[in-house]
Amino acid sequence: MEIKSVMVIGAGQMGSGIAQVCAMAGYKVYLNDLKQEFIDKGLSRIEGNLSKQVEKERISQKDLIRGMDLVQGTTDLNDAKNVDIVIEAAVENMEVKCNLFSRLDEIAQDHTILATNTSSLPITEIAAVTKRPEKVIGMHFMNPVPVMKLVEIIKGLATTEETFNAVETLAKHLKKSPVEVNDFPGFVSNRILMPMINEAIYTVYEGVSSPEDIDQVMKLGMNHPMGPLTLADFIGLDTCLYIMETLQEGFGDDKYRPCPLLRKYVKAGWLGRKTGRGFYQYQD
Ligand code: CAA
Ligand code: NAD
């Protein structure tokens, strides 16, 4: 099946990035969110990213305009009937995702693939709320989407080879490097990354060192491009907490218990960069 049009659900940091790379690869994109103001924020993030590319002479102003013209904001989920694939990038919450997938299953055409950018939630469980589990799949992009090459592709129990092949081809058209991963909590990326971030948070919690020094150790000592606490703020502390909860629940193993300090920050609304405060403070 050839994919020509895409709906991205959630115009946050991931959804806007996915919409950007799809539009720049020539796909018609519907960008959906709950409110027009969230869509406008996503669209201006895309335009900001593309403008930087124009400044660096990586793309022309014409490319920017062509790309922006391909993205249509919509608060109406019914627009899912116009597309060949939906890529869901709403919050990391099973109830929200299941609700969306059962509605999308009613709206979308029979051939439409329903993909989720979930960081950790079981694809099989999301697929089970639809009548098309063979067309439900995980398409896990990394943040920031326009920069990071990896896409984990996760088959649920019923996902067909045909669905996998269509999504793998799409990922390659987006100039990404797809890797097939089995459906286990956190897949590969977050099963390995998130316990490291959680441990860094415990290191702050137990007073072993300051956030700045912990990040410095991992940057200078392990050559990580960002320290784990900067990265946690970048990902979003709410997302980090949801992923740790999914790992703990999914494996039934307390080695994945989220650090109480992470819970406290999320309860305080300190979600990292997106709210201006997490382990660090941000001006813009
Ligand atoms: N959006 C779009 N583009 C961005 C960007 C953003 N938020 N941040 C940086 N860039 C672009 C810059 O424009 C620049 O582009 P050009 O090469 O075209 O000039 C390029 O990235 C490099 O940026 P900088 O020189 O400003 O900064 P840097 O060299 O420090 O790189 C970084 C920035 C790429 C984000 C780097 O710090 C990095 O790789 N950090 C780690 C990111 C990471 O681990 N991501 C995975 C998170 S986990 C995940 O995504 C899975 C999950 O489920 C939670
Ligand atoms: P975000 O908070 O930046 O954006 C989420 C967006 O989804 C918000 O704009 C919100 O209004 C919207 N939304 C919520 N419920 C919705 C609904 N029912 N319908 C339409 N829109 C809805 O979050 P994010 O960081 O972009 O993460 C989105 C998804 O991508 C999550 O599942 C997350 O686990 C996953 N993910 C995140 C990262 C990361 O580094 N942040 C990386 C890979 C995957």
Side-chain angles (χ1 to χ4, degrees):
M1 191 203 92
E2 198 194 344
I3 293 171
K4 292 191 183 132
S5 51
V6 182
M7 177 183 251
V8 179
I9 298 188
Q13 52 179 343
M14 295 305 290
S16 60
I18 296 167
Q20 179 183 325
V21 295
C22 289
M24 293 314 282
Y27 294 91
K28 166 77 193 165
V29 183
Y30 292 84
L31 181 58
N32 169 271
D33 207 306
L34 296 169
K35 290 188 188 164
Q36 188 60 41
E37 63 182 280
F38 300 148
I39 295 169
D40 291 343
K41 209 170 155 195
L43 289 172
S44 69
R45 190 182 289 132
I46 297 173
E47 193 161 10
N49 281 343
L50 294 180
S51 297
K52 278 191 203 144
Q53 295 297 309
V54 173
E55 274 164 35
K56 290 175 189 163
E57 298 183 353
R58 303 253 165 82
I59 62 169
S60 66
Q61 184 66 24
K62 250 187 183 168
D63 295 330
L64 180 152
I65 293 167
R66 201 179 304 125
M68 290 308 295
D69 281 349
L70 281 170
V71 187
Q72 185 175 326
T74 175
T75 51
D76 187 359
L77 206 63
N78 287 310
D79 280 323
K81 67 178 182 297
N82 301 321
V83 300
D84 302 314
I85 185 168
V86 177
I87 306 175
E88 173 276 320
V91 283
E92 189 71 351
N93 176 295
M94 190 51 116
E95 215 180 303
V96 172
K97 291 196 193 291
C98 284
N99 184 284
L100 275 168
F101 272 70
S102 70
R103 286 167 66 202
L104 287 166
D105 191 34
E106 296 295 323
I107 298 165
Q109 295 177 58
D110 288 348
H111 76 277
T112 301
I113 293 173
L114 303 181
T116 171
N117 181 52
T118 177
S119 294
S120 59
L121 296 166
I123 307 305
T124 304
E125 204 175 321
I126 297 172
V129 303
T130 74
K131 292 185 203 80
R132 62 177 91 194
E134 71 287 353
K135 293 199 177 70
V136 176
I137 195 161
M139 190 175 190
H140 184 208
F141 292 82
M142 301 294 124
N143 188 12
V145 180
V147 180
M148 307 302 277
K149 285 282 169 210
L150 176 70
V151 174
E152 282 184 307
I153 304 184
I154 309 105
K155 279 199 230 152
L157 208 54
T159 314
T160 56
E161 213 50 42
E162 192 191 349
T163 301
F164 177 85
N165 290 338
V167 169
E168 186 184 45
T169 304
L170 171 64
K172 286 180 181 162
H173 281 163
L174 301 179
K175 300 201 179 78
K176 301 296 178 195
S177 304
V179 174
E180 185 180 352
V181 173
N182 283 327
D183 190 16
F184 277 88
F187 318 125
V188 170
S189 53
N190 282 317
R191 184 167 176 177
I192 297 173
L193 173 70
M194 215 39 79
M196 181 195 72
I197 287 178
N198 195 45
E199 205 56 36
I201 301 171
Y202 267 109
T203 315
V204 180
Y205 182 61
E206 291 167 6
V208 180
S209 200
S210 66
E212 290 81 1
D213 284 345
I214 293 163
D215 277 348
Q216 193 73 323
V217 165
M218 298 306 285
K219 271 169 52 184
L220 300 185
M222 284 78 196
N223 239 357
H224 289 193
M226 281 175 169
L229 299 162
T230 304
L231 183 55
D233 275 359
F234 182 60
I235 291 168
L237 299 186
D238 50 343
T239 302
C240 294
L241 176 60
Y242 301 146
I243 295 170
M244 286 311 295
E245 287 174 343
T246 302
L247 291 172
Q248 186 182 28
E249 195 195 317
F251 290 113
D253 189 337
D254 277 347
K255 84 174 177 184
Y256 298 109
R257 74 219 173 284
C259 179
L261 189 62
L262 176 59
R263 281 194 193 286
K264 197 184 236 182
Y265 277 26
V266 172
K267 286 218 170 98
W270 294 8
L271 306 184
R273 269 196 205 199
K274 62 184 165 188
T275 57
R277 181 151 197 183
F279 289 98
Y280 300 96
Q281 291 193 47
Y282 304 88
Q283 303 303 334
D284 48 6

